[in-house]
Amino acid sequence: MQRLWVILGFLCAVGLLSAGVWSYGYRQALSQLSEKAGADLELAADRLSTQMQVYQELAVLMANHPALRAIETPAQQQAARAILLDVADKTAAVNMMYLDRAGQVLVSAQPVEQDNMSDHPAFQRALQGALGNAHGVLPISGSRIYSYAAPAFDDSGRVEGALMVVADVQDVEQTWRGSTEAVFFIDGDGVVFISNRSDLLFWHRADGQQGLTPPEGGEVDFASTRVGPHELWRLNWGRYLPSRALHLMLDLPVIDMTAEVLVDVAPARRLAGLQAATVAAICLAFGALLFLATERRRTLSEANAVLESRVAQRTRALTAANTALRREVHERQEAETALKHAQEELIQAGKLSALGQMSAGISHELNQPLMAIRQFADNGAAFLSRGREEKAAENLTRISDMAARMARIIKNLRAFARNESEPMGKVDLVQVIDTAVELTEARLRTEGVTMDWRPPENPVYAWGGEVRLVQVFVNLINNAADAMSQQEERLIRIAIEADERLTVTVRDIGPGIENTEKLFEPFYTTKAVGSSEGMGLGLSISYGLVQSFGGNIRGTNAQTGAMFTVELEYYREDEVA
């Protein structure tokens, strides 16, 4: 029972919401319809005023035509009539006539039904020196006409006559009779004089009324209501007029009429109904889904009670398993920390191993400049005692150069031996290789190894760590030297290729690589067991360092000897973040 009341309440709420949506949508549609109807009404009024203005200007222009000033003789009358007829034919005017001050028609383009127009409102206005206009119906033909009368002045400025232009209203209506909306113009007497719906012609509006009454009298269905600022008419005036219409009015004082329009509101009602139906359908669909979800939830709640007992049993088992899993995770984290520490120590050990291999040459590189500095110092003192300052200065310059060389060697050794993990960033690859070559220069010179390294003129920037990259290339150079230790000719070539991929190749002319698949495995070496030259960790360490920079290293056999290729990423500004 409670469920039924809930459903009924929901349906009532949906009905109220749909009614609200319909009302709001109907008002919005009426506002848009009112804007369009107002624009159409202004367009029709402007079109009528523009077309009537042609005849108004024609009356003003022809009022003082020279041919109309002298029409005393039959020949002059015939000439004036020909001019008026020609102008009337070209402008589609019904008739054009010239009247004297007494209203007598002196000459006309077409025969007139009335020779004297003294009581015509337009003529009476023209006698006052102003442009007159009036509308009416011809008694014989029943045609609706609109007349303009322009005064004609003599040389003294006195009104001596008037030119009247008569226009057929029906001809004006032909240009906009096919308009969709019903447009009609009511004169000052409340009579529909112009309309694009012929059924409404000569209907009239009584004082104090809103609707219209047929010319033959009688009552017709009519009711007026307001929806917000909009006036709505409900009527039954014929099949060419809407039963429900939006009514708008526009005053036209220039032609002494009021323009009105009736726009069918059926599209607005259909649009509002469609919106309300859409909202109702969405609400009903949502309500149905909600009802189904509620029913399903109730069913699930019953099943949930059965599952809770099973879950309680499984929870106890999972709790025990979770405790064991946490213990295992903690042990793995400790193992990863120990592994990372061991890797850092292994990298440092690789550096120290390389320094050990280069120690003899480096000692010679430092001892030789020291002995030379001592010799140049003794010579400089002797030259000073003899007053040969130029020679003494030359010896001091040599001492300065050798001290700078020793400082550079020591700086490179200190940087290479540091046990720290510098952040990755912008690295000058040319400077890195220069440092590696300089660190191994003493050993290569001692063992007679020729180094072929031609650095490019412009720096090449890579993404990595400077000290770790130096360690990679020192290991590669030392391995190349070790591979050629048993042969007389020894040559190492280093080259940088900066194309789509940044690569550095290190080649030797040794015996090559026996097993390229195991080349980068830890403790893999081709040296004799117990050799003091290493334990096979150099290439494994280098492989890990290059991988940490996002690059790659591989070793292959060339036509002569082995070739190691180091692929690195270019440095880009957006990688700094």
Side-chain angles (χ1 to χ4, degrees), residues 48 144 169 173 176 183-185 192-196 201 257:
L48 176 62
R144 289 169 292 137
V169 174
E173 287 177 339
W176 48 277
V183 180
F184 53 93
F185 296 83
V192 177
F193 191 71
I194 303 174
S195 177
N196 62 348
L201 290 177
M257 289 188 182

Side-chain angles (χ1 to χ4, degrees), residues 48 135-137 144 146 169 173 183-195 197-207 209-216 255-260:
L48 176 62
H135 61 277
V137 180
R144 289 169 292 137
Y146 203 99
V169 174
E173 287 177 339
V183 180
F184 53 93
F185 296 83
I186 299 179
D187 59 16
D189 298 329
V191 178
V192 177
F193 191 71
I194 303 174
S195 177
R197 298 292 190 272
S198 58
D199 295 346
L200 290 177
L201 290 177
F202 303 116
W203 286 43
H204 63 277
R205 175 178 294 155
D207 294 338
Q209 292 184 353
Q210 292 179 307
L212 300 176
T213 304
E216 63 274 7
I255 59 175
D256 192 22
M257 289 188 182
T258 300
E260 301 185 24

Side-chain angles (χ1 to χ4, degrees), residues 348 350-352 354-355 358 411-419 439 467 470-472 474-475:
Q348 185 66 16
K351 292 182 182 179
L352 297 179
L355 285 175
M358 298 183 295
K411 177 182 177 183
N412 290 336
L413 287 174
R414 290 177 61 188
F416 184 75
R418 275 192 309 221
N419 185 12
L439 287 174
V467 176
V470 171
Q471 181 178 356
V472 170
V474 166
N475 287 339

